[in-house]
Amino acid sequence: MRVLHFYKTYYPDSVGGIEQVIRQMCVGTGRLGVANTVLSLSREKDLAPIAFEGHTVHRVPLDFELASNACSISSLGALARLARQADVVHYHFPWPFMDLAHFIARVKKPTVVTYHSDIVRQKKLLRLYQPLKQRFLRSVDAIVATSPNYMESSPVLGRYRDKTRIITYGLDQGTYPQPDPALLAHWRERIGPKFFLFVGVLRYYKGLHVLLEAVADTDYPVVIVGAGPEEAALKIQAMRLGLKNVVFVGAVGEDDKVALLTLCYALAFPSHLRSEAFGISLLEGAMFGKPLISCDIGSGTTYINIDGETGLVTPPDDPRALRAAMRTLWDNPEMARDMGARAAARFEAVFTAEQMASGYLALYRELVARHSARSGAVAPAVAVLPPSRD
């Protein structure tokens, strides 16, 4: 079976939460016999196809952006061409240009869209986009919500319950590098033996301004990993608050990220708006057996982090509550260890890449069989391979 993924950004150009999820989908289903291709946009000049971890990445030039909506004229022909070669086209929402491209390219193959997030910020533009969005979501064969929490709280998904499934995100720890002793020693010397960690792109909905307010007048060490549009404002805020206990380390490679995840005392994930639909770095913290702190925003963050079990959940945009949660974990190391162990156990029970891949393979098969029954064609064979542990 051949599956085409279409999203605005992907490796090696961009490393974010959705890119990581698509990567895990491709690697996981690839082990089950699916041949995956990813079509994405790029600012780079050399756009030859790339072989990446068992799947192929096709990139086309990004022509312009309108309200963070990446657009590419050449992607329309590429989508039409690659869709003809695929058995299933897998879209990743939200990306309004993708909706338009689907119709212009006249994609006739079985289609599934993973619904990563509601559109929260651009209220005025959302009203203009609404008719296209509704037409697109009506046209696809299946929609996937990434957690029961998001399915129940999204006003958009509520309109499409009859075609929506829940398949949670999953990660494969085997795709992460092993902790490097030299890097562990480097970060332990630089940061110290006990610290809270945040990992992610520094965006408006991450709630990092709340985290900075929460640790003002405390001595809790906080390490912030990542870069992004809010970086300058956050550094100004930290300077204004006189924070000596917060370290901005910028974007780091996978080896450094793994070292910091290994060393950290707990993961702080203060996203306060529903634009944070799941939280891949929160899931990474669980995978590494760390106690978690997150906010209750009605999204997948509270599906990952169960209050009082795998960590602590606070109201959003509440520095005092966030500080109290940090104090509780900091002052109770045995509680923190137990919560971290339960977070790791929940990860293994619910959030592995193998489980996600199995769910998507079953959905792909169902859509192809349904499409074949309607058209009278023969469904493509799928070679089911034993899961790899490499």
Side-chain angles (χ1 to χ4, degrees):
M1 181 181 292
R2 298 159 300 179
V3 175
L4 171 64
H5 294 264
F6 188 36
Y7 188 59
K8 59 185 176 181
T9 51
Y10 192 59
Y11 293 82
D13 300 272
S14 176
V15 181
I18 294 179
E19 294 92 330
Q20 175 69 280
V21 170
I22 297 172
R23 173 197 176 204
Q24 297 286 343
M25 288 178 184
C26 291
V27 172
T29 59
R31 290 172 176 168
L32 300 177
V34 175
N36 289 284
T37 298
V38 179
L39 174 61
S40 64
L41 314 189
S42 175
R43 298 180 186 275
E44 300 298 319
K45 294 182 179 179
D46 182 7
L47 299 181
I50 298 170
F52 178 68
E53 296 187 338
H55 57 281
T56 304
V57 181
H58 288 264
R59 298 178 296 165
V60 292
L62 188 157
D63 294 323
F64 61 93
E65 291 184 284
L66 177 63
S68 301
N69 183 31
C71 302
S72 167
I73 303 304
S74 57
S75 72
L76 303 175
L79 176 60
R81 174 175 54 84
L82 292 171
R84 286 194 296 269
Q85 301 168 11
D87 300 304
V88 175
V89 177
H90 191 150
Y91 296 115
H92 295 271
F93 182 98
W95 178 24
F97 176 79
M98 173 188 69
D99 305 17
L100 185 64
H102 166 73
F103 293 112
I104 294 176
R106 299 183 179 181
V107 174
K108 302 299 183 185
K109 296 297 179 72
T111 50
V112 57
V113 56
T114 296
Y115 193 94
H116 294 280
S117 172
D118 291 330
I119 296 175
V120 176
R121 198 176 196 183
Q122 294 97 346
K123 299 293 186 183
K124 293 181 179 178
L125 291 175
L126 180 58
R127 285 197 290 270
L128 296 174
Y129 166 53
Q130 196 83 347
L132 174 61
K133 179 185 73 174
Q134 291 176 352
R135 184 184 172 198
F136 172 70
L137 292 175
R138 284 196 305 267
S139 74
V140 297
D141 296 300
I143 301 170
V144 174
T146 59
S147 72
N149 301 48
Y150 215 79
M151 175 69 206
E152 291 305 316
S153 62
S154 169
V156 176
L157 289 177
R159 301 190 187 102
Y160 305 98
R161 285 182 179 272
D162 59 328
K163 64 164 69 177
T164 302
R165 314 290 178 82
I166 297 171
I167 303 176
T168 62
Y169 292 156
L171 301 177
D172 178 359
Q173 194 160 6
T175 64
Y176 289 70
Q178 291 295 310
D180 180 84
L183 281 176
L184 291 173
H186 163 77
W187 286 111
R188 191 180 289 112
E189 181 178 355
R190 179 177 173 183
I191 305 297
K194 186 177 179 182
F195 58 91
F196 291 96
L197 178 68
F198 168 87
V199 180
V201 180
L202 310 188
R203 300 192 189 280
Y204 71 95
Y205 58 81
K206 295 292 184 178
L208 289 169
H209 62 291
V210 183
L211 178 61
L212 297 183
E213 292 284 352
V215 297
D217 300 320
T218 76
D219 56 0
Y220 305 142
V222 175
V223 176
I224 296 177
V225 173
E230 297 298 312
E231 184 173 359
L234 290 168
K235 288 180 176 179
I236 291 171
Q237 181 187 4
M239 187 178 301
R240 176 176 55 80
L241 293 171
L243 300 180
K244 305 297 184 183
N245 52 328
V246 176
V247 180
F248 292 88
V249 300
V252 301
E254 286 293 293
D255 291 304
D256 286 296
K257 184 177 80 170
V258 164
L260 289 165
L261 283 166
T262 302
L263 292 172
C264 75
Y265 182 71
L267 199 87
F269 199 75
S271 294
H272 65 303
L273 297 173
R274 279 179 54 81
S275 296
E276 188 69 77
F278 198 83
I280 290 299
S281 60
L282 188 68
L283 190 57
E284 289 175 329
M287 182 173 69
F288 278 82
K290 304 299 177 177
L292 312 171
I293 297 176
S294 61
C295 298
D296 188 359
I297 52 177
S299 75
T301 61
T302 315
Y303 187 59
I304 299 169
N305 185 22
I306 308 301
D307 187 35
E309 179 179 334
T310 61
L312 300 173
V313 178
T314 72
D317 205 7
D318 189 334
R320 290 185 179 181
L322 182 57
R323 180 186 301 186
M326 297 174 76
R327 182 187 306 119
T328 297
L329 288 184
W330 191 262
D331 293 343
N332 296 278
E334 186 174 347
M335 173 195 292
R337 281 193 300 271
D338 290 344
M339 286 181 169
R342 289 192 291 268
R346 179 163 172 77
F347 169 82
E348 289 294 334
V350 181
F351 298 112
T352 65
E354 186 176 331
Q355 291 165 300
M356 179 177 67
S358 296
Y360 274 106
L361 178 59
L363 180 57
Y364 294 156
R365 285 173 166 169
E366 177 187 331
L367 296 181
V368 168
R370 192 191 309 166
H371 187 266
S372 299
R374 287 199 303 261
S375 64
V378 178
V382 179
V384 180
L385 304 178
S388 170
R389 295 293 183 182
D390 295 340

